[in-house]
Amino acid sequence: MNRNLAHTTAAYRKVLSQLCVVACSVIVVLAGGQNNKPAIPVRERVAKILRERLSDGAGVVDGVRVQTRTPPAPEVRKEIRDCGNAAIPLLTNYLLSENENERVIAVELLGLLGGSRVVAPLKNVVEKDRSPTLRIVALRWLSQTPSSLASPIIRKAARTDVDENVRKAARDILEPSIGEGASGSSAPFKVVPPPF
Amino acid sequence: MRVKPKITSITPGRGLIGNQTSVTIDGRGFGSNPSVVIGGTGVTYSGSGGSATQLTGNLNVAGNATAGNHTVEVSNKGQKSKSVNFFVQVPSEFIPLNLATANLGCAPNTAGFGAQVSYQVADQSGQAITVIGMTPQEHFTVNGIPAFPGFRAFATPPTTGANGSFLDIPIGTCAGPPPPSFNFCVDVVQTFNIVVGSTTFPIPTVTTRRDCTQGMRVVVTTGTVSRTSSLGTVN
């Protein structure tokens, strides 16, 4: 009899304990639902950042729509970093866009993400993008990634890129030197002949 | 016999405010337990080793240190050397290095002319500050209207390289759609500051641009001189 009672009590305790776990879980979920906004998928966040960057600096002057190239706001820098690794394949897709403006922004956002994770897509830009400027920008962002990964790419660009300005940009990254004009206010403001 | 300490050189002789500079002090008579005394406010020395003829250590320059020369003396067993100077650099100018064309990457059915400008950060005596990691920031107006509130980091990458230079790429203004049938221009005025550690320094350099769809004129007034360069056709 005592044995049966002990058995029953243990069973009750087990059921109560399980009920408590379920109840606590419900409370945690409800509390979490109240405190946290529903997570926005990274795809939408990246698309929103890109849309905003594409319209940043836009206005109307004398009836003409204009857009002056504008650096990213601190909020954009934070938002793209918050997106983390999941943003990389999405941004990599934008690198294939026919719209150069989108590719410029995608390279910038990859650069802001930084780290070894962005080396492969930036390498792709350096080796394949048709815009010399975009290749220079990608090289400069690459200079911020781990040098063991970036150096071979930059060295190759310094040797083989078809555009002299890109080769020079790569050389400057590999061997930084103080440029003309650095040692005093009488130095020239050099104009590089248009390469394109 | 005691040898009076003598400093023959301190290398480098200058260092950035709000930063730590590794220095080597050469001379003689430093003994086995010298002390290094820095004059003025905001600069301290922390030694990492040395000998009777050479000391190595760091000069820690606070963000609010006095700009310009600070005396450096070595004393050993009550005898003090004559001083040499260590110059505290304050970012004071962006000196333009070159202007080149660049792809602006305008959206389809718009037109614009792109360029890039590289700058060197210079100190109050016009000398280059060859320090990595300073963050230049800009604010600009387009035809007098602010493009955004406050200042934003604008270099690519956002901080200076080892030689203290940075690149503003690409710059320019796209017009349209539809693209204007004439050489449409707007006036852009860039103002600057630079962040070193947690301290922001205003930079009096102003870059005035005329962004046209077929060219660009860039006038950089560094604070002491003004330099003008143009690319393409500017109305």
Side-chain angles (χ1 to χ4, degrees), chain B residues 86-181:
Chain B
F86 178 79
F87 186 85
V88 171
Q89 297 178 292
V90 178
S92 303
E93 285 183 322
F94 290 166
I95 296 175
L97 299 176
N98 66 55
L99 169 71
T101 52
N103 300 88
L104 187 54
C106 290
N109 203 27
T110 66
F113 187 93
Q116 64 184 64
V117 180
S118 61
Y119 295 90
Q120 174 76 51
V121 182
D123 67 19
Q124 64 273 39
S125 65
Q127 295 297 305
I129 300 177
T130 53
V131 171
I132 196 167
M134 298 180 282
T135 307
Q137 297 184 326
E138 72 168 356
H139 172 79
F140 68 75
T141 59
V142 180
N143 281 13
I145 298 168
F148 49 84
F151 284 78
R152 293 180 179 178
F154 68 103
T156 302
T159 55
T160 54
N163 59 2
S165 70
F166 63 91
L167 183 64
D168 189 3
I169 181 175
I171 55 173
T173 299
C174 303
S181 55

Side-chain angles (χ1 to χ4, degrees), chain B residues 49-66:
Chain B
S51 66
T53 57
Q54 187 178 75
L55 303 175
T56 54
N58 293 313
L59 283 174
N60 307 295
V61 184
N64 59 356
T66 315

